[in-house]
Amino acid sequence: MGSVTGLPGPTDAWITLAGLARETRRIRLGTLMTAATFRLPGVLAIQVAQVDQMSGGRVELGLGAAWFEAEHEAYGIPFPKEKFGRLEEQLDIVTGLWGTQVGKTYDYEGKYYRLTDSPALPKPAQKKVPVLVGGLGAKRTPRLAARYADEFNVPFASLADTERQFARVRAAAAEAGRRPDDLVYSNALVVCVGRDDAEVARRAATIGREVDELKANGLAGSPAEVVDKIGRYAAVGASRVYLQVLDLHDLDHLELISSQVQSQLD
């Protein structure tokens, strides 16, 4: 955000997803993560429900506390010191609105938000929109996931940190009276794949990263190397991996991932 370059500029996730909902038929649509600071919870519940309706029930809501202070400053969005409490109330409200029986109203009195006589409409197309919670916090994050999440995501973390965080969430789920296996466990990792070392190096340089750093902290190298690394995340409990593609103009990269990485995982 500090540079004047970067055209065409940032997009709004839920406007983009609304467009994709009407242009696609099969893919799931969601966020990792929508910042709880960007929208009031009642508005967010309406937006997500509408996109779910537009897509015929293909939406998943990832909701996080927000972290990028410079982006908030650049667009005039308040960046409160206490964000986690707001996230917890937003999760409570959004799921509460969706879960309210049609014809009934919804009320909420929290520290940060208050809703009175809400019609709790519209409803999503899905009976239950999957909710994703993520992060590396040792105590509050696992408890939040155990209470609200259908999926728990560990972002940009090592195998050891992933395994440790999955264990915390499983323990929190059991303590909350949930079966730990009822949650989906996932990772989000930067991907940089090439047919040879030179192609990997070229793609890493384009996104301003070093190959060795990407291999240590992401998914980088040949298709075989990346498939092996994904397998190691699967071995510590991940059943889903989200690939962050940083160069959106490199369609050959996507084709390579599809034909030589995804094809080995199906």
Side-chain angles (χ1 to χ4, degrees):
M1 293 296 298
S3 172
V4 296
T5 61
L7 293 173
T11 61
D12 180 273
W14 288 102
I15 290 176
T16 303
L17 291 170
L20 290 171
R22 303 297 293 169
E23 297 291 333
T24 60
R25 294 292 178 266
R26 293 182 296 139
I27 61 171
R28 302 289 296 178
L29 304 167
T31 52
L32 285 177
M33 301 285 189
T34 289
T37 51
F38 282 8
R39 297 167 178 83
L40 297 172
V43 174
L44 178 62
I46 291 169
Q47 291 174 323
V48 177
Q50 284 190 297
V51 177
D52 197 49
Q53 290 282 358
M54 291 176 187
S55 70
R58 291 182 285 124
V59 157
E60 303 176 2
L61 171 63
L63 190 59
W67 63 274
F68 195 11
E69 186 172 5
E71 183 177 33
H72 290 70
E73 292 175 348
Y75 288 93
I77 304 168
F79 191 72
K81 183 176 181 181
E82 174 47 61
K83 294 180 289 295
F84 201 91
R86 286 176 169 81
L87 170 61
E88 185 164 11
E89 288 193 11
Q90 287 219 0
L91 285 164
D92 207 9
I93 292 165
V94 170
T95 56
L97 286 167
W98 291 339
T100 298
Q101 184 179 342
V102 174
K104 303 289 186 181
T105 59
Y106 177 82
D107 295 274
Y108 186 87
E109 186 74 45
K111 181 177 179 181
Y112 303 104
Y113 305 105
R114 177 183 178 186
L115 286 75
T116 304
D117 292 332
S118 173
L121 295 172
K123 301 299 188 193
Q126 297 174 89
K127 185 175 181 180
K128 176 71 173 71
V129 172
V131 172
L132 285 69
V133 171
L136 290 164
K139 296 180 179 179
R140 297 177 74 182
T141 298
R143 287 200 298 267
L144 203 63
R147 182 173 178 185
Y148 296 105
D150 300 285
E151 178 175 337
F152 182 76
N153 181 264
V154 173
F156 313 114
S158 68
L159 285 159
D161 287 343
T162 295
E163 185 173 24
R164 186 178 304 112
Q165 190 67 345
F166 284 170
R168 289 172 179 150
V169 172
R170 294 180 70 88
E175 187 176 342
R178 295 183 65 182
R179 293 179 63 252
D181 288 343
D182 286 346
L183 279 81
V184 173
Y185 298 86
S186 64
N187 287 93
L189 296 160
V190 174
V191 65
C192 181
V193 189
R195 294 174 180 84
D196 53 38
D197 290 347
E199 191 168 78
V200 175
R202 175 178 63 78
R203 288 199 165 110
T206 298
I207 61 175
R209 303 283 286 268
E210 297 291 334
V211 173
D212 288 346
E213 179 268 324
L214 281 171
K215 286 188 175 184
N217 301 311
L219 298 171
S222 68
E225 287 180 285
V226 170
V227 169
D228 177 73
K229 185 78 174 283
I230 290 172
R232 282 184 272 157
Y233 277 97
V236 300
S239 60
R240 183 178 293 177
V241 176
Y242 298 91
L243 308 181
Q244 185 180 36
V245 178
L246 293 175
D247 182 2
L248 302 183
H249 300 287
D250 189 352
L251 298 183
D252 182 60
H253 192 200
L254 295 180
E255 193 283 327
L256 179 64
I257 293 168
S258 174
S259 64
Q260 297 193 36
V261 177
Q262 183 182 359
S263 62
Q264 297 187 57
L265 300 172
D266 291 340

